[in-house]
Amino acid sequence: MELVLDFVLIVGFVINLTILVVLYKNKHKGFHKKILFFIFCTILISIIHSYGFLHKNQLLFYSTFIIENSITVYFGPLLLLYIYSIFLPSKNLLRKNAVHFIVPFMYVLVISTPLMISTWNKEYLFNYLEVIFNYIDFISFYSLVYCFIGLKVLKRANVIIHHYYGNTDSIDIQWIKKVLLGTITIIGINFLFFLIELILGELPWNPYYLVSACIAITIGYLGYQGLFQSKVLLPIFLLQDHFVLKEEHADLPISNQTKKSRNYQEDEMEELQSVLYSLMEHKKVYLDPDLSLASLAELLTISEKKLSTLLNQYLNISFYNYINNYRVEEVKKQIQNPHNAQYTLLALGLESGFNSKASFNRIFKNFTGNSPSEYKKQVLQQGK
């Protein structure tokens, strides 16, 4: 058991250190990358602490004690801050979210530090430590709550992304969801063993080893995906209206929220709709796989907010659905054209504005109820 854990910890240490070096050398050090770097620093310290505990190395054990002992308190808020840093402007972001770290700070001050000194002296520094020591794992619920908040934020962000981008395959935030679920699982395993020991007494083997191994294994996935996570550029007005300020309507689709405030001029919207229709039908700008709300607004020489109003309020459709509807219709035309028989379906999809096979198949089926190959079969049967 000790050899297996030793191997896992060493592998985790090497992977973690490699990720830190890559992050440090990254030329584009956005605020979200800096937070990710700090997250991996804390995980690395936790691995070193586990190694010191396993091999009874007092220097490694005590030098990393406070950070490792309090990780279940600050890790949840830290992940949430990282999620915010991907979507929100970095200016004053840390200051605005400092309140989430008050409890972790107090925990370090009142529990972790005195507990480390007590462990060193082999007697409790304060009487209250002896009382709370057996129930200290309940504090992990603090991070657990923040993980669930993070999942809710990601769900809300996904709604906004689909109202701003036509192709979303390059915006991979699903890995962060898996990280949150992984963290919830690790906290759950740790708490489960705590309850077992509370009811049945001390186990013959230390469950701390298993939890440490889970953390070491999890960082591989977290690190690989996190290195490639870029900041998701969303317009400030959408962030303010639907991501931060309107918490009470966060679960509603954006189109439903905006119906409540008809702040457009009918004549102006009709004129814009006509210009937009001409741009789509004649210039076929939807063929550009990188087309976004911002780039389309620039072609129309209007603001992003006005284009969003036109689509979401006046036409009652999201940018994502509006653009991809044209792309699907384009693919259908290309399939029906006998001159395109020699081309693959994927080639036709990419030519029509889709940026990957997965998005092409998924979106086409969502709009038509059939996969591209099923639709082509129907067209061929009708032509006989």
Side-chain angles (χ1 to χ4, degrees), residues 241-242 246 254-264 309 312-314:
D241 290 345
H242 306 291
K246 294 191 176 179
I254 289 180
S255 58
N256 289 344
Q257 294 177 35
T258 51
K259 282 180 186 178
K260 298 178 181 179
S261 55
R262 298 284 188 181
N263 56 0
Y264 55 78
T309 300
N312 293 314
Q313 294 187 39
Y314 187 74

Side-chain angles (χ1 to χ4, degrees), residues 46-63:
S46 178
I47 293 173
I48 294 172
H49 180 85
S50 300
Y51 188 86
F53 179 78
L54 180 65
H55 293 280
K56 298 179 174 57
N57 186 310
Q58 291 194 359
L59 178 62
L60 295 179
F61 179 80
Y62 285 108
S63 63

Side-chain angles (χ1 to χ4, degrees), residues 96-284:
K96 291 176 182 177
N97 290 278
V99 65
H100 304 307
F101 295 92
I102 293 176
V103 170
F105 176 77
M106 293 303 297
Y107 182 88
V108 169
L109 200 65
V110 178
I111 297 178
S112 290
T113 305
L115 194 60
M116 182 191 70
I117 300 171
S118 299
T119 306
W120 177 268
N121 292 329
K122 297 181 180 178
E123 62 176 352
Y124 288 111
L125 186 64
F126 300 106
N127 291 332
Y128 70 85
L129 290 173
E130 187 174 2
V131 177
I132 68 171
F133 181 75
N134 292 327
Y135 304 96
I136 206 168
D137 283 335
F138 278 107
I139 195 66
S140 61
F141 278 103
Y142 187 76
S143 270
L144 204 60
V145 169
Y146 276 91
C147 287
F148 283 113
I149 293 173
L151 289 173
K152 186 176 181 181
V153 170
L154 287 179
K155 181 180 179 182
R156 192 181 311 149
N158 261 323
V159 174
I160 299 174
I161 288 170
H162 278 75
H163 284 74
Y164 191 64
Y165 291 96
N167 279 316
T168 59
D169 281 16
S170 59
I171 306 170
D172 182 18
I173 60 173
Q174 288 304 307
W175 73 273
I176 313 175
K177 180 180 178 181
K178 294 175 183 177
V179 169
L180 289 170
L181 292 174
T183 304
I184 291 170
T185 302
I186 291 172
I187 292 174
I189 291 172
N190 187 54
F191 191 73
L192 177 63
F193 282 119
F194 161 71
L195 289 177
I196 292 173
E197 289 192 323
L198 194 65
I199 297 170
L200 303 178
E202 190 174 341
L203 295 172
W205 55 279
N206 197 329
Y208 174 79
Y209 292 157
L210 179 61
V211 176
S212 299
C214 288
I215 294 172
I217 292 169
T218 302
I219 64 164
Y221 183 82
L222 169 63
Y224 177 76
Q225 297 291 336
L227 291 174
F228 305 103
Q229 177 66 64
S230 58
K231 192 171 179 64
V232 180
L233 298 174
L234 296 174
I236 296 298
F237 73 89
L238 274 182
L239 292 173
Q240 289 176 335
D241 290 345
H242 306 291
F243 193 64
V244 181
L245 301 181
K246 294 191 176 179
E247 293 279 343
E248 67 275 15
H249 302 306
D251 294 327
L252 294 175
I254 289 180
S255 58
N256 289 344
Q257 294 177 35
T258 51
K259 282 180 186 178
K260 298 178 181 179
S261 55
R262 298 284 188 181
N263 56 0
Y264 55 78
Q265 297 293 327
E266 195 82 23
D267 293 343
E268 183 184 16
M269 289 296 109
E270 286 183 5
E271 183 179 348
L272 279 177
Q273 183 184 3
S274 176
V275 175
L276 177 61
Y277 178 80
S278 176
L279 197 63
M280 301 298 287
E281 289 291 334
H282 302 302
K283 292 193 175 182
K284 296 188 176 184

